[in-house]
């Protein structure tokens, strides 16, 4: 489990595509405190550390992960948001995040608003009903509050601190981001489904 509070802005070091895709990432994490088999959210996708060095770790992404996330378009040197898995007793500064990406959203507008920036995103049609004003979403692993929703378009205000310490500082219109809907919304929707 995660909280959507990014604790390192790293970068893609290498990509190897075989049966699955292996990514190596540069990180500022103290890798002596990261076990092989640990979970790290990489732009919001929960991945397993399979190898590590002094300032890097590696993961293997299955075809399923690559097809359901933005991972298929990742390139060497691109920035990646990282968050280590929560420990019991950790502060929950964002919201409860599973690291299971539900779909990919597109950035369709970025406008200055005071010192912050208002981002507008287009959600996949099948996920639009899970996004509500003042609700939570996770975008590229970042816990964010939804400001407004109109059909499949939703807006989010991103403050200067978040722009500085996440990939959103380099985002542009047309970019795609990993979207995880709020876990509570997912379960409420499931409970409301009618039996056939």
């Amino acid at each position: 489990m995660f909280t959507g509070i990014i604790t390192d802005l790293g970068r893609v070091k290498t990509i190897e595509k075989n049966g699955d895709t292996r990514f190596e990432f540069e990180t500022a994490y103290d890798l002596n405190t990261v076990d092989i088999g640990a979970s790290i959210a990489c732009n919001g996708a929960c991945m397993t550390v399979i190898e590590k060095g002094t300032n890097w770790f590696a993961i293997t992404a299955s075809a399923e992960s690559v097809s359901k996330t933005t991972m298929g378009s990742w390139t060497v040197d691109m920035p990646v948001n990282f968050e280590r898995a929560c420990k019991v007793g950790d502060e929950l500064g964002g919201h409860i995040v599973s690291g299971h990406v539900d779909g990919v959203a597109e950035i369709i507008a970025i406008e200055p608003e005071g010192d912050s920036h208002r981002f507008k995103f287009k959600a996949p049609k099948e996920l639009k009903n899970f996004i509500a004003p003042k609700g939570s979403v996770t975008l590229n692993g970042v816990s964010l509050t939804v400001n407004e929703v109109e059909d499949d378009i939703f807006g989010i205000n991103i403050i200067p601190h978040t722009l500085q310490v996440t990939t959103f500082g380099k985002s542009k219109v047309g970019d795609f981001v990993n979207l995880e809907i709020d876990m509570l919304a997912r379960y409420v929707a499931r409970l409301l489904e009618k039996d056939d």
Side-chain angles (χ1 to χ4, degrees):
M1 301 302 290
F2 304 92
T3 66
I5 303 299
I6 302 306
T7 52
D8 183 33
L9 181 58
R11 73 172 191 92
V12 177
K13 183 179 174 188
T14 66
I15 302 171
E16 295 175 21
K17 296 181 181 181
N18 294 311
D20 289 325
T21 304
R22 175 190 166 95
F23 292 92
E24 286 184 11
F25 301 106
E26 284 189 2
T27 182
Y29 287 147
D30 176 358
L31 276 303
N32 291 318
T33 66
V34 177
D35 293 332
I36 299 297
S39 295
I40 296 180
C42 304
N43 272 3
C46 178
M47 294 287 133
T48 301
V49 175
I50 61 164
E51 194 178 343
K52 63 180 184 171
T54 305
N55 66 342
W56 64 272
F57 68 93
I59 60 104
T60 298
S62 67
E64 173 76 4
S65 294
V66 171
S67 71
K68 299 288 192 238
T69 69
T70 60
M71 288 179 147
S73 64
W74 290 6
T75 58
V76 171
D77 289 328
M78 71 168 276
V80 181
N81 295 323
F82 297 134
E83 180 186 359
R84 292 180 63 181
C86 294
K87 296 177 187 157
V88 174
D90 281 353
E91 180 178 319
L92 292 176
H95 70 283
I96 296 174
V97 174
S98 68
H100 301 158
V101 174
D102 294 296
V104 173
E106 181 182 4
I107 300 173
I108 60 169
I110 304 173
E111 298 291 338
E113 190 170 280
D115 292 330
S116 301
H117 282 77
R118 178 62 61 105
F119 281 63
K120 287 200 173 178
F121 299 89
K122 184 176 181 67
K125 291 282 188 192
E126 66 274 14
L127 298 178
K128 69 178 186 176
N129 292 334
F130 295 96
I131 301 170
K134 303 309 173 196
S136 296
V137 291
T138 307
L139 298 172
N140 271 359
V142 183
S143 172
L144 295 162
T145 301
V146 176
N147 292 105
E148 73 279 336
V149 179
E150 187 174 330
D151 194 41
D152 59 348
I153 307 298
F154 63 99
I156 290 182
N157 189 62
I158 300 186
I159 64 172
H161 172 78
T162 303
L163 287 173
Q164 182 180 351
V165 300
T166 71
T167 57
F168 284 110
K170 295 187 182 297
S171 293
K172 58 190 183 306
V173 172
D175 285 353
F176 290 90
V177 296
N178 292 324
L179 167 64
E180 180 182 331
I181 59 173
D182 183 65
M183 193 177 298
L184 179 61
R186 181 184 295 134
Y187 285 108
V188 168
R190 181 72 174 142
L191 288 169
L192 292 175
E193 284 180 4
K194 293 183 179 176
D195 291 331
D196 290 336

